[in-house]
Amino acid sequence: MTTYVLIPGAGGSAWYWHGVSDELSRRGRDVVSVDLPGNDPRAGLPEYVDTVVDAVGDRTDLVVVGQSLGGFTAPLVCPRLPVSLLVLVNGMIPRPGETPGEWWANTGQEAARRANDAREGRDPDAETDLATYFLHDLSQAQIDASAEHNQDESEAAFATPFTLDVWPAVETRVVAGRDDRFFPADFQRRVAEDRLGMIPDEVPGGHLAALSHPMELVDRLEAYVKESA
């Protein structure tokens, strides 16, 4: 049976994936949603990878999905697990030796965000707040629930370099949220083409597309699985 391994972004809460996980389970898929030690100041990327590997256990035929910061962890688990497909969703695509902390300047994320803000009529000099950049397409019920699961990300992971010399030899797909204000879709296209030589597929929703549009994201993931079969 195909197992989806869902890796969250900053903060490390598996709850982020609950809508996707529920829908995948409804469609008969096995799902492992991983809680990462994001707020542990002693835990960097190696500890994140160990956590994922331990959560998966002896499962095989894995589809590993990494969200945002999870884009650093997801490829690192591939040499240690029987992964058949790797998917990054609004993901930070790393280069060898790069830390997540270096990724922002290396990719020009801030300039891309500011340019997108100006295009969409927001003040590019305004504070980068949760409501504007992460919660804008969520219902109030989702916003309230997310506050209960929100936790800070320690600096440890951001200081850990990406240790693979080459991208893992695993079929890879990239998904971008069409309405992502934090990692604008055109920015994600540029980074994915530059670093992986591929153009992302788009789904509706912002940076937290798995919360705002879980059905559409599941449809895209399932399409990848069928294409790779």
Side-chain angles (χ1 to χ4, degrees), residues 72 91-95 98-113 182-183 186-188 190-192 194-195:
F72 270 76
M92 297 169 68
I93 302 172
R95 279 185 170 149
E98 185 176 57
T99 69
E102 295 167 338
W103 180 91
W104 309 89
N106 290 350
T107 58
Q109 182 271 342
E110 178 67 10
R113 180 196 63 77
F182 194 54
F183 295 171
D186 60 345
F187 162 74
Q188 293 196 54
R190 173 174 60 77
V191 174
D194 177 48
R195 297 191 167 200

Side-chain angles (χ1 to χ4, degrees), residues 135-214:
L135 309 179
H136 58 95
D137 60 342
L138 303 184
S139 68
Q140 189 58 52
Q142 289 173 318
I143 292 171
D144 294 342
S146 66
E148 297 177 8
H149 296 273
N150 185 47
Q151 62 182 19
D152 292 332
E153 177 75 29
S154 80
E155 292 299 317
F158 287 106
T160 312
F162 183 74
T163 53
L164 297 183
D165 293 329
V166 296
W167 197 257
V170 173
E171 185 175 354
T172 301
R173 295 289 185 269
V174 179
V175 179
R178 189 175 301 132
D179 307 308
D180 194 333
R181 297 177 178 178
F182 194 54
F183 295 171
D186 60 345
F187 162 74
Q188 293 196 54
R189 283 193 293 272
R190 173 174 60 77
V191 174
E193 187 168 17
D194 177 48
R195 297 191 167 200
L196 295 177
M198 64 178 61
I199 303 298
D201 294 302
E202 292 187 3
V203 294
H207 198 65
L208 305 182
L211 285 176
S212 60
H213 290 83

